[in-house]
Amino acid sequence: MSAQIKSSGAPAQSSAPANKPWSGRFNEPVSDLVKRFTASVGFDQRLAEFDIDGSIAHARMLRAVEIISTEDLASIERGLSEIRSEIRAGTFNWSLDLEDVHLNIERRLTDLVGDAGKRLHTARSRNDQVATDIRLYLRAAIDYISDQIRALQTALLDLADKHTDTVMPGFTHLQVAQPVSFGHHLMAYYEMLARDASRYADCRKRVNRLPLGAAALAGTSYPIDRQMVAKALEFDGVCENSLDAVSDRDFAIEFCACAALTMTHLSRFCEELILWMSPRFAFIDIADRFCTGSSIMPQKKNPDVAELIRGKTGRVNGHLVALLTLMKGQPLAYNKDNQEDKEPLFDTIDTVSTSLAVFTEMVPGISVDKDAMRAAAAQGFATATDLADYLVRKGLPFREAHEAVAQAVRFCEVRKCDLAELNLQELQQFSPLISDDVYASLTLDGALTARSHIGGTAPARVKSAIAKARKALK
Ligand code: ARG
C-alpha cells in the first residue's frame, strides 16, 4: 500500500481537554461515553494527507477570490506543510476531544499560525470536506489497485505462456468434460481481471468529482470558484448539486461492488488451487513459502494463503451490504450515519489490495505436474465429444452420434479403458462410419488443436490470446 493511503495507526489521546470548535452553543461538555462513541479520529486519520491537499486547494481559491489575504494564505500553507511533516513523522498528537481528522488538523493549524488558521474554514463545512477527502483517498486507492491488477495479469500471462500445450481436464459440474490447456484455463482469470480493471476505471470517473463548495448542504454565500479547486485537485469536474454532493456515498458503494467481484474472482481461483494441490488431484504444488504446516500432523502442507483469500471474500461482500444498508434510509442531506462509511471502505481497500499483492507473489510459486494433469484428462472420456463430432463429419446427425458415443463410453466403462484404447473393430460396433482416421480425434492433443477459433483452447490460439493480452497491458 502506498504511503499516502496507509493508516498511520497512531492512537488518539483523550488527555488535555480541548474545546470542540462547535461547543459554543452547548451548556455542558459532551459526556465521555458520547465523545468516544461519536469520534472518528481513530480511523479517519488515514485521510489526513488528502484533508491537507483539499485544504491547500481551498485556501488558494479563497485567496484568488479575495476572501483571505496573501499573508493568511502563506501562513496556512506553512502551517499545513508543518502538520504534514508531523503526521509523516508520527509526532502529530491526535486528540479524541477533537472528534475527527478535520478538527484535529484545523486546531493544530490554528495553534501553529493563529488567526489565519481560523479563516481556513470559511465557505466550507466538514460535510463537503469529508466527502472530498474520501473521494481523493478512494481515487488514489483505485489507481493503486488498478496497478496491482495489472501486475497479477502479467504474472498470469507469464505462467500461461509456459503451458499453452499442457493438457488438463476441463470440468463442468466438476466432472471431466473436455481437455483444455492449463494456459487456456489461466487466461480465463486474465479475462476476469481485465473486466475488473475496466470496472474500477469506470467507477473512478464517478469518484472523481469535487464536492467542495457544497458546504453544509446548500452551498455558500461567498463568491467561490469551484472549478479552480477541482482543477487543483485534479478532479474531472464538480458535483452539480450541493445536497447530493454532501450526502451520497454511491461512489463508495460502487467501489465496494467492484472489490467484491475482484475478491470473488480471486476466491474462485483460490478454490481451484486448493483442489489442485490436494493429492486427490495433485495437479500443482505451491511453493513452501506460501504454505503452512500443522502443529499436530507432521506431514501436512496447507494452502493457507489461498484459503485466507477465499475466506476474506466474505468480509468484502459484507462491507458492500453494510454500505448499501447504511445509505438506504437516509433523508437528504448529510447525516452522521455517513461517518460509518469509512471502516467498511478502508477495510475493503486493505483486503483487496493485500489479497492481490500476496496472490501475485504466489503465482510464480505454482509448479505444475503435467503428467498428472494429462493422466487425469485421459481418464474421464474427455474426447467423447470429439468422437461425436467425428461421426457428424462423416454424415451422422449429431443426436445419433451422441447416442453412438454414449454406447462406446458404457462399453469402455465395463472394460475399464479409454476410448482411444479400443481397436478399430471394437469402435466400429458403435458406428460403421468409423475408420482408422478416428484416432486423430481421440487424442487429447488432437482435441486441443481442433479448437482453434477465437476463444478456443488450441495452443496456437492461446499463444495469440497471450500476445494480444500483453499488448493490451502496455
Ligand atoms: N467525521 C465526520 C464524518 O466522517 C465528518 C463530517 C461531520 N459533519 C458533521 N456535521 N458532524 O462524516
Side-chain angles (χ1 to χ4, degrees):
M1 179 77 41
S2 74
Q4 269 209 320
I5 49 179
K6 205 174 184 178
S7 166
S8 66
Q13 307 295 325
S14 181
S15 46
N19 275 343
K20 287 175 185 280
W22 45 256
S23 58
R25 60 100 61 224
F26 286 76
N27 288 325
E28 56 176 8
V30 91
S31 94
D32 257 4
L33 191 57
V34 170
K35 190 167 39 179
R36 282 197 299 275
F37 187 65
T38 56
S40 55
V41 64
F43 49 84
D44 68 12
Q45 18 176 308
R46 70 157 92 184
L47 296 174
E49 298 231 12
F50 298 96
D51 195 74
I52 291 171
D53 294 342
S55 287
I56 291 171
H58 179 67
R60 287 180 183 166
M61 182 278 290
L62 290 180
R63 172 61 219 131
V65 299
E66 299 185 344
I67 295 172
I68 61 170
S69 67
T70 314
E71 296 73 42
D72 282 346
L73 174 61
S75 304
I76 289 170
E77 293 202 60
R78 177 171 51 78
L80 287 174
S81 148
E82 178 153 357
I83 292 172
R84 199 192 289 278
S85 309
E86 290 175 359
I87 292 171
R88 286 190 181 169
T91 56
F92 190 93
N93 185 19
W94 296 102
S95 159
L96 199 68
D97 294 279
L98 289 166
E99 207 174 311
D100 57 24
V101 61
H102 323 293
L103 298 183
N104 266 273
I105 290 177
E106 192 187 318
R107 173 61 58 87
R108 177 72 186 136
L109 180 65
T110 303
D111 289 348
L112 285 170
V113 305
D115 281 355
K118 295 184 188 166
R119 295 200 177 96
L120 173 62
H121 212 52
T122 314
R124 186 175 78 168
S125 153
R126 274 186 295 156
N127 297 353
D128 58 348
Q129 191 179 353
V130 70
T132 302
D133 292 3
I134 305 170
R135 284 171 184 263
L136 288 171
Y137 179 87
L138 186 52
R139 184 179 71 187
I142 287 174
D143 292 344
Y144 189 79
I145 287 168
S146 302
D147 285 347
Q148 287 190 300
I149 290 182
R150 241 191 313 279
L152 174 52
Q153 286 179 300
T154 305
L156 291 181
L157 291 179
D158 293 344
L159 189 60
D161 226 350
K162 294 184 198 143
H163 293 287
T164 50
D165 51 14
T166 302
V167 180
M168 68 178 276
F171 297 94
T172 61
H173 314 270
L174 206 54
Q175 307 294 318
V176 172
Q178 291 172 350
V180 295
S181 75
F182 183 55
H184 191 54
H185 195 111
L186 292 171
M187 288 301 287
Y189 286 100
Y190 169 89
E191 290 294 325
M192 293 177 230
L193 291 165
R195 288 195 298 281
D196 287 338
S198 87
R199 257 186 292 274
Y200 289 111
D202 201 53
C203 171
R204 190 189 194 281
K205 293 182 204 157
R206 285 173 289 278
V207 169
N208 205 27
R209 298 258 151 194
L210 174 76
L212 272 181
L217 77 164
T220 171
S221 56
Y222 295 93
I224 55 170
D225 181 349
R226 298 187 67 203
Q227 300 296 351
M228 178 185 167
V229 181
K231 210 166 156 219
L233 294 172
E234 292 176 42
F235 281 109
D236 296 328
V238 302
C239 298
E240 297 284 348
N241 178 289
S242 64
L243 298 165
D244 178 45
V246 291
S247 71
D248 209 340
R249 296 290 183 267
D250 57 356
F251 61 90
I253 297 175
E254 196 179 336
F255 169 80
C256 287
C258 298
L261 279 168
T262 302
M263 290 303 292
T264 299
H265 290 151
L266 293 184
S267 183
R268 295 188 70 184
F269 204 161
C270 287
E271 169 68 9
E272 297 202 309
L273 294 178
I274 294 160
L275 284 173
W276 294 341
M277 201 179 124
S278 154
R280 289 282 159 265
F281 278 81
F283 287 0
I284 62 159
D285 196 18
I286 299 177
D288 284 2
R289 62 186 182 282
F290 294 101
C291 296
T292 56
S294 157
S295 54
I296 177 168
M297 297 167 284
Q299 85 285 11
K300 288 301 285 288
K301 176 176 162 184
N302 299 325
D304 284 26
V305 168
E307 291 170 53
L308 255 184
I309 293 174
R310 187 179 60 184
K312 282 177 189 291
T313 304
R315 67 203 250 178
V316 171
N317 291 354
H319 293 326
L320 169 61
V321 175
L323 290 192
L324 283 166
T325 313
L326 174 70
M327 212 70 240
K328 73 175 276 293
Q330 286 192 52
L332 293 182
Y334 176 86
N335 302 281
K336 186 78 165 180
D337 308 42
N338 279 346
Q339 183 164 290
E340 284 289 305
D341 64 355
K342 289 170 200 63
E343 286 164 294
L345 181 63
F346 294 161
D347 190 63
T348 297
I349 293 168
D350 291 348
T351 306
V352 74
S353 170
T354 313
S355 301
L356 282 165
V358 69
F359 199 107
T360 304
E361 254 192 71
M362 185 168 66
V363 170
I366 297 173
S367 55
V368 175
D369 186 336
K370 293 187 185 192
D371 294 340
M373 281 188 176
R374 183 173 279 273
Q379 261 171 22
F381 308 107
T383 56
T385 316
D386 294 84
L387 179 55
D389 291 345
Y390 167 88
L391 289 172
V392 169
R393 282 197 299 276
K394 298 272 171 166
L396 207 58
F398 182 77
R399 277 290 153 236
E400 280 178 40
H402 185 285
E403 179 57 29
V405 177
Q407 297 298 333
V409 165
R410 285 175 65 166
F411 181 81
C412 287
E413 267 176 344
V414 175
R415 292 269 297 267
K416 295 199 187 313
C417 68
D418 187 52
L419 287 168
E421 290 168 288
L422 298 180
N423 66 34
L424 192 55
Q425 262 181 337
E426 288 166 328
L427 281 168
Q428 281 169 339
Q429 318 167 58
F430 305 104
S431 171
L433 295 171
I434 296 177
S435 56
D436 58 6
D437 59 353
V438 71
Y439 291 101
S441 297
L442 287 180
T443 65
L444 295 171
D445 300 289
L448 226 58
T449 310
R451 289 161 170 80
S452 59
H453 53 78
I454 296 174
T457 188
R461 181 55 77 173
V462 176
K463 282 271 180 226
S464 63
I466 293 170
K468 192 175 166 195
R470 285 208 197 275
K471 255 199 202 142
L473 281 187
K474 269 192 193 138

